[in-house]
Amino acid sequence: MIHFATSFEHPGLTADDRRVPEQLAQRGVPTQVLRWRSEEDNRRVRAGDLVVVRSCWDYHLHTEAFLAWLDQLTGRGVRIANGHERLRRTLHKRYLLELEAESLARIAPTRLVGQDDAADLDELIEQLGSADLVVKPAVSLSAHGTWRVASLGRPQARARFAGQVRQQDLLVQRYLPQIEEEGEISFVFLGGLYSHAVRKTPRAGDFRVQADFGGSHVAHLPDKCLIDQAARLLDGFADDTTYARVDAVPVDGGLVLMELEVIDPVLFLSTDSGAVSRFCDALCA
């Protein structure tokens, strides 16, 4: 049995994902939806079943409960697509700095600021060499709690930063103007192999490419050299993934990594005619 994990807020599969169980049923593979915080749904999961995290889009609000749920599934002999430890490692955005330290990825100039750190916004502006910074929670999704320092006056930005860092770890990054100018590319990998890509662009006057903030996406065919760069990153960190999405911005002919999504990324399956079949192949494997 394959269980597609969702949430109470998003209990059903997305329109993009809905075609996957339909095709799996044609192959004789049973599936069902699992709301990850539902005790009733979790009782239906058996040892040897496969859980595929899809629209658990509230995990950043229930982080400890989400990690405990993964532990509990693993302890019961349930398989988790992409692996329990990899999901746990990428839950906190410190993994981006780890990838850079391992020379696996190039990222924007970044500082991780913990709740107990004494750093203030002015110090970070000096360290990163720019007053145009992006602040984002270290555990977050869909740009929740993400903002741009330059969009506020300095006193207001200082106050917002100080209030936010008391609540959570933050990632502070130098703003990349290429996001507004050219957008961000999402490279989708299924079964460890490149499948397809989309280009995401923010709405006019914004920098967030997520649909929640007015961003849009179109099918995109990246240059082979960029696909190869994304594939090398995956090979170095997550070569045995069932599914993954590499979000990156092309800068000076190379990729600057924004996220390596292996928990519950939107896979844009509807933008490529063969993507659903490739996803089903990866799940069955």
Side-chain angles (χ1 to χ4, degrees):
M1 175 73 73
I2 296 178
H3 305 265
F4 292 99
T6 64
S7 60
F8 284 126
E9 292 79 4
H10 304 277
L13 292 178
T14 66
D16 197 51
D17 284 347
R18 214 168 290 145
R19 292 164 56 208
V20 178
E22 293 172 359
Q23 188 169 129
L24 287 171
Q26 296 172 9
R27 302 184 185 198
V29 180
T31 65
Q32 60 185 13
V33 170
L34 162 68
R35 296 168 298 175
W36 77 271
R37 288 192 293 136
S38 167
E39 293 184 9
E40 178 184 357
D41 289 3
N42 277 285
R43 281 196 292 268
R44 298 200 300 264
V45 183
R46 299 287 182 263
D49 286 356
L50 175 67
V51 169
V52 186
V53 179
R54 293 312 300 135
S55 47
C56 299
W57 293 334
D58 60 350
Y59 72 77
H60 62 300
L61 305 175
H62 309 280
T63 305
E64 293 306 317
F66 183 74
L67 293 174
W69 173 67
L70 295 176
D71 290 341
Q72 182 254 352
L73 289 176
T74 302
R76 290 167 50 195
V78 177
R79 293 175 293 166
I80 301 173
N82 286 346
H84 173 198
E85 290 304 321
R86 184 170 291 123
L87 267 59
R88 175 181 283 274
R89 180 180 179 186
T90 57
L91 190 74
H92 192 290
K93 296 184 193 300
R94 68 168 63 89
Y95 80 88
L96 292 168
L97 292 161
E98 294 169 354
L99 289 175
E100 181 186 48
E102 295 168 15
S103 299
L104 292 174
R106 174 188 173 200
I107 65 174
T110 300
R111 293 292 182 275
L112 173 62
V113 184
Q115 291 176 255
D116 298 327
D117 293 347
D120 63 30
L121 187 59
D122 289 330
E123 291 173 349
L124 291 164
I125 287 172
E126 184 176 349
Q127 291 173 16
L128 292 170
S130 174
D132 199 353
L133 304 177
V134 174
V135 178
K136 58 183 70 173
V139 179
S140 180
L141 50 79
S142 295
H144 176 80
T146 298
W147 55 285
R148 187 174 169 186
V149 170
S151 66
L152 303 176
R154 184 66 66 84
Q156 187 181 0
R158 286 195 200 99
R160 181 169 182 176
F161 176 81
Q164 192 172 11
V165 78
R166 285 196 293 268
Q167 304 297 321
Q168 56 200 161
D169 294 351
L170 298 176
L171 222 63
V172 183
Q173 296 182 310
R174 187 186 296 173
Y175 175 70
L176 295 178
Q178 290 86 351
I179 293 176
E180 282 188 87
E181 297 164 2
E182 301 179 24
E184 177 180 296
I185 302 176
S186 286
F187 302 81
V188 178
F189 291 80
L190 301 173
L193 301 175
Y194 172 74
S195 172
H196 58 282
V198 301
R199 186 168 73 95
K200 301 182 293 187
T201 52
R203 70 178 183 184
D206 207 326
F207 68 98
R208 295 164 296 188
V209 298
Q210 291 79 9
D212 293 347
F213 300 99
S216 59
H217 70 270
V218 295
H220 181 63
L221 183 60
D223 291 341
K224 185 178 183 302
C225 64
L226 297 182
I227 295 174
D228 290 344
Q229 286 183 47
R232 283 196 296 273
L233 167 61
L234 205 66
D235 287 342
F237 178 73
D239 59 339
D240 58 346
T241 47
T242 306
Y243 57 94
R245 199 184 78 206
V246 177
D247 293 341
V249 178
V251 177
D252 299 329
L255 292 178
V256 174
L257 178 68
M258 304 304 292
E259 296 279 359
L260 174 52
E261 300 275 10
V262 297
I263 299 179
D264 57 356
V266 174
L267 297 173
F268 303 107
L269 300 174
S270 62
T271 64
D272 186 278
S273 60
V276 170
S277 180
R278 290 191 289 272
F279 192 24
C280 290
D281 290 343
L283 291 170
C284 290

